[in-house]
Amino acid sequence: MKLKLKRTTGKPASFLVGAPFSWDGGQGVPPVAGFIDLIRERVAAEGSNFSVELEKRLDGVGAAEQYQAAMGFMFSVFDADVVSEIVQGAVLSARKTGSPPLDPSAGLDGDPKDWNLSRGQRGLARLVKLDPDRFPGPVMTTNFDPMIGLALAECGIRYHPLTFPLEGSLNAPICVARDEVNIFHLHGYWRDSPTLHTPQQLEAKRNQLQKSLEKHLNQSNLVVMAYSGWDDIFTAALAECLGSDTFRGTVTWCFYGSSPAEIREQNAALFEKFKGGIQQERITFFHSVNCHTFFDDLIDDLGVDPATRSAVETSPLAGWEVITKELLESLDPLTGEEAVRFFDGAIPTLRHAISPLIPRLSHAATLVERIDQGLASTAACTMQIIRAAGGEGKSTALLQATVTAATERDCIVLHRPSTDAGLNPDVVASLDPAHRWVLVADDAEGLISDLWECAVRLHDAGRHNVTFLLAARDADWIAEKGDQKGWNGRLNRLDDLVLGGIEEGDAELVVDAWSEQGDAGLRGLMSEKSRDERIKKLVAATRAQDVKASEGSFFGGLLDSRFSASALIDHVVTLMEPLRDRDIDGGTGTLYDALLYVANCHAVGMPGLDKRVLASICDLSVNRVSTAITGALGRELGAAESRGHILTRHKRVAEAVTVASETRFGSNLEDIWWVLVEHTARLGRDGEVSRECHGPIVHAGAKLKRSLPHLLDEDRRGEIGIAAAEASRKFLPERIDVIIDLARALRFAGYFQDAVDLHARELPKLKGKLELLKYIRGYFYEWSTCAGNLRTRQGSLADAWLAAFSLSDSLPPQVTIEDAKLTCAGLGVAFENLLSGVPDSAFAKGRRAATHLGWETDPDPRTAGYLERYQSELDEAGTPVPADIDEALVWLSEAALAAHAELDDSLLGNLKKNGWLTFRRLRECLDKP
């Protein structure tokens, strides 16, 4: 059947294109016949005998076989350098007449305008530019030439030509930016790479190929066209992928021919090779596909409205859009219901920016003034940054100023609609100097490196016609070292506009806008009878916020003034309900499911959920997360992205969602955290999870009882923590620290004996655990704490013995100050529970020793508070004071020996059979300055 790749097919598409794709209508790299003619010319220069031998090899074989026969002959007569010359000569024949000479050894492909690009190549590039979510790459090709990459570059898209190393793995990161595409040249590249031609080369074993191919094609649909399927290791690896239980991709294979019967007959070996994939319905074959016209037809079939298509296609920056009056006029007016959703936290869009229902606060006017300064500058390009925590209104002000610049100023405005779009310095440096340009980007902390390169290149070129209008979360800009660049040496950086809270004049505009939407707009402010009282309440609420780096005082005040805690839960319930029936486009599960994973992470203080983890959970390509999940949730619940993480608009919203999921919808948060840990642990093995996300998730079990919203039952929080810790132990069985986490989770939940038993069971298995030396002292200290919580004499004895053992020389690693500080404070409690009223007993002197040593650790205020209490009680009891550290260490050893003597536990007693502990390493630690 004929092929139509609809937007609704779900999976993003990658392309594999063969030799005919690089040539049509006499332009571009010559087909096989032209390539063989070049070989004939080179062979003829060596003498007639060589030519005769070549023709014998070519006689009576088909086009593909002729090519391999000719190249096999070349390798038998000439060295690899001559073959490279033939390849480079064939590629350079695609340059336009009169174009400047290009030296392949220079490592560059030249300017796209100097090459004869085909209709198919340009169509593929335009398709990627128009719909990067659905067509993100990679592109795979058997061609040696740079034509596909040059077509992408012509559209402002950065391309990365990549070839196989000897082991055959596609060793490159997966591109997630909208303006970057990997091109895998399966048989080599025309420069800086050997090229593969003969059966011996093409069929060489590449053991790593299938695994890496799965990585790059998982969750996607590989569309194969202009390619009959070489009998090579790549095709064999693709067949293996299609038969693998772990592969989640599909293949669409296109033939030019119109007769299915002839296609099957002519490609019988290929169909046999893919028999497993056909049986599992992972590969589909189509006929009558013309690669030169297909992409233009597909673009017409995307259904993109003319104004949006023009905004994307005319933008020189891939992934960005040109904001014009025509585009803005084509947008549907905002409804009152949508305005209320925005007031409740939905993410602003251009529709909000042009709507009279959304108030224009003073920040927007200030930004317009700054744009005017940039447009008027004749000395240098200009940068304006608006900085704030999330939820301070920076995105709305940014878009409103953008609309003004596009409609009322003489400039071209380029807007970045997604955080997945990069900033191509090559394109920025070449922007037409005859125009004034305003480049608008939210979440600009992700662009710092490219912004710096743009600033350098524009400065060096003496340009002053580009203004950068940027917004960033303040903490993110600092974390990405945005303030450590010497911006003022390269451009005119205007004073940052820093937002926080709300002034009374702006509060008046906000309250009036809410009032226009009636009860739904005012919500909790309806109880305030006058306009002035409502304004005062809003201002007071914003100023009462305990602002953290990621939580804005404006939106926090908005929530406090419009919703009580219970009312906010009621509100999010109405938003969550329809999400239960909305499937994730191209993935598995619903938007409700995705929201729970995101909200649970944000609710416990994480900076959101790494989008790669969410992509894995939802069986979705990471390229699709922003559109399929973040964008969809942003319209309802204000989901946003920050430094590759997805979070809700405010921690209070995340907490409300988390509570509502269990108390109103009956969701099981144990399952949510189990899945979070499972996918984080798996991706973390390959370094595919951020540090901000990996550690907090795999170690969440020990903290969830305390960090989950306290509107959830205390016991329930404890059970959820245990489930998360159990997941970490299951999916990270080689690690010792997750055992400690599970013990803590059990202890926090009140399962003290289970925690003690866990330590005892795991003790024989510790050998060979990762980072054993790093955590072994902590393992024994946690064991001691669990034992102490049993509140029995034997529990307290085990507590004292294990805590002392954790600091002793019986364990190999060095003692750290943190080890000493924590354990000395803990020993004060352990020995306290063993006191007999005798002031100079071994346990009393042990408590005094722990206190004395604790003061040597430069304790923090909390630890110092414990030590002050111990010291006061010991002084009151008349317990002696050690003369120095050495005597204190002797007393500690004697107290530990006394505990060991009373212990009725052979396992603990055998840790040190004679019961005498030494503390040389502790002494060395305390001696350090």
Side-chain angles (χ1 to χ4, degrees), residues 37 63 158 214 259 265 272 305 319 321 348 368 412 419 565 587 668 696 819 849 879 897-898 923:
D37 286 342
R158 287 180 274 203
E214 278 196 41
S259 169
E265 181 181 350
E272 177 64 24
D305 66 85
E321 58 189 356
V368 172
I412 300 175
T419 57
N668 189 337
D819 292 332
T879 299
L897 180 63
R923 184 71 170 84

Side-chain angles (χ1 to χ4, degrees), residues 520-534:
L522 286 169
R523 297 203 184 275
L525 286 181
M526 284 295 297
S527 60
E528 306 296 331
K529 300 305 180 183
S530 72
R531 175 175 179 267
D532 287 345
E533 288 171 341
R534 292 167 181 169

